[in-house]
Amino acid sequence: MTTDHFLPNDEMLAGVDAEQLHDLVGLVDYDPTRDVFPVIGWDAIVWAAGNATQSSHFFQSALGMELIAYSGPTTGNPDHHAYVLQSGSVHFVVKGAVSPNSPLADHHRRHGDGVLDIGLEVPDVDRCVAQARRAGARVLAEPHNEADELGVIRSAVIGTYGETTHTLVDRRHYHGLYWPGYVPRTSTYQKRTTAPDRLFEALDHVVGNVELGRMDAWVEFYHRVMGFTNLAEFIGADIATEYSALMSKVVTNGNHWVKFPLNEPAVGKRRSQIDEYLDFYCGPGVQHLALATSDIVRAVDEMTKNGVEFLAIPDAYYRDPVLRERIGKVRVPTGELQKRGILVDRDEHGYLLQIFTKPIGDRPTVFFELIERHGSSGFGKGNFKALFEAIEREQAARGNL
């Protein structure tokens, strides 16, 4: 059965069709009727922020997203502000406490700015929750309906690593911008006249960091609870430098849109990037989100103009004859990649271009990846050493290596 019959609704896709998604994130054909826990795609990524008003402005001015909806004190929600932002099929909901007694305020005191919830769109919330309960998952909110004049949403919530959650959403019968209780909202912010409509179109993967010895347990959780399968594994020399190391396994849903790399630290001479994250986030959580773009060069140029800082990659990376032979011809000349610090990798299916921002908040925790796929289904294995050495330089500058 083809993928395009089972994709999120048009409001969430925002004009990004199945063919574009196939190219952007590597969709494969999938029949959710045969799945014990059918997941058809991403819903919204919900953030906790110390200042949601300013964070929503950052996502607009720096990442080129569009403000589309809002909930807060003026809409009958006295607890917090919530801003809904969109870029293609990507939706962020940025929440910040109004009341000092809000659970959001407590969460932010512990973890700083970061991801609260990874929303997943499913065709049958009740079926998924029944499977989750049988498999021993924590059901934090039972299946329930929320409605307004634009329709009804059915949802539930289950727990995953740390305080991160998955909201399971069936929005087939809802035609609003996001959720009942939210109202349309636009911004007075104006992009440069030369800026493109959007800089990225889809969410490719979301990476979770967990404690030493817990990666396999969470991989098994996604197998047992959601029926996800392994897509990749990186251990040993694949994912180590002279000073630090980590281990990573990737699980994915049936159509390969929802991909979760799960990392844990490994023993090394010094503290790894995962150790630093766990210390400053105060536990497991989302490390980075990979945003799929059809033009990484333009996205990097625009974000750089907007003040986004990317990790610096040494010039020696681009002069490496082994790298040049391995990656072959790609659509962007090496010199243009070098000027921007864009990395390249190739597998048996094609190649990818990728780049990573520095942490976007005060704590050295969450950051973004931009990724442009050309057939490759990988995660840049050939770039791990260069990337981790770049991260280690930043750790050393912060005094955390």
Side-chain angles (χ1 to χ4, degrees), residues 45-49 55 58-59 63 92 107-108 111-116 118 161 164 203 205-209 273-274 276-278 280-291 308-309 311 356-369 391 398:
I45 302 296
V46 181
W47 299 75
S55 293
F58 170 81
F59 286 133
L63 302 190
F92 289 168
H107 189 282
H108 190 267
H111 302 297
D113 289 5
V115 173
L116 277 170
I118 306 165
Y161 47 82
T164 311
L203 187 59
H205 58 272
V206 174
V207 180
N209 285 349
Q273 56 175 291
I274 312 303
E276 182 188 43
Y277 175 96
L278 293 170
F280 282 89
Y281 195 73
C282 297
V286 171
Q287 180 210 48
H288 80 263
L289 301 94
L291 306 171
V308 176
E309 294 185 289
L311 290 176
F356 299 82
T357 72
K358 294 181 180 181
I360 61 170
D362 296 322
R363 302 191 195 190
T365 51
V366 68
F367 57 91
F368 288 110
E369 172 186 353
I391 291 174
R398 293 190 289 264

Side-chain angles (χ1 to χ4, degrees), residues 1 50 133 166 224 237 262 401:
M1 191 170 294
R133 184 173 279 112
H166 289 307
R224 183 183 77 251
L262 296 161
L401 183 60

Side-chain angles (χ1 to χ4, degrees), residues 147-188:
D148 62 15
E149 67 278 5
L150 296 171
V152 60
I153 284 178
R154 190 159 181 81
S155 68
V157 182
I158 65 173
T160 181
Y161 47 82
E163 294 191 70
T164 311
T165 57
H166 289 307
T167 296
L168 311 175
V169 184
D170 178 358
R171 56 174 66 249
R172 289 173 298 169
H173 305 294
Y174 190 70
H175 304 288
L177 289 169
Y178 174 58
W179 205 277
Y182 283 72
V183 299
R185 180 80 172 259
T186 57
S187 172
T188 58

Side-chain angles (χ1 to χ4, degrees), residues 1 6 41 58-59 66 79 108 129 140-141 171 213-214 256 289 292 340 348 369 391:
M1 191 170 294
F6 294 98
F58 170 81
F59 286 133
E66 179 186 2
D79 182 76
H108 190 267
V129 169
L140 304 177
R171 56 174 66 249
R214 295 294 295 160
H256 287 197
L289 301 94
R340 297 165 177 85
E348 63 272 23
E369 172 186 353
I391 291 174

Side-chain angles (χ1 to χ4, degrees), residues 15 25 35 120 136 251 287 308:
V25 302
D35 199 336
L120 301 173
V251 295
Q287 180 210 48
V308 176

Side-chain angles (χ1 to χ4, degrees), residues 219-259:
V219 168
E220 196 272 334
F221 168 88
Y222 283 104
H223 291 171
R224 183 183 77 251
V225 174
M226 296 188 178
F228 281 27
T229 57
N230 281 11
L231 188 61
E233 179 176 323
F234 310 105
I235 58 174
D238 286 342
I239 202 159
T241 70
E242 178 183 356
Y243 295 115
S244 66
L246 61 89
M247 295 180 286
S248 184
K249 293 182 179 180
V250 185
V251 295
T252 187
N253 75 320
N255 66 8
H256 287 197
W257 188 1
V258 175
K259 299 180 281 287

Side-chain angles (χ1 to χ4, degrees), residues 58-107:
F58 170 81
F59 286 133
Q60 293 173 75
S61 62
L63 302 190
M65 301 187 78
E66 179 186 2
L67 177 64
I68 62 169
Y70 168 78
S71 171
T74 59
T75 69
N77 168 18
D79 182 76
H80 61 270
H81 294 291
Y83 298 88
V84 183
L85 301 113
Q86 181 178 44
S87 179
S89 63
V90 181
H91 290 74
F92 289 168
V93 181
V94 186
K95 295 184 175 182
V98 173
S99 168
N101 298 318
S102 170
L104 284 167
D106 293 335
H107 189 282

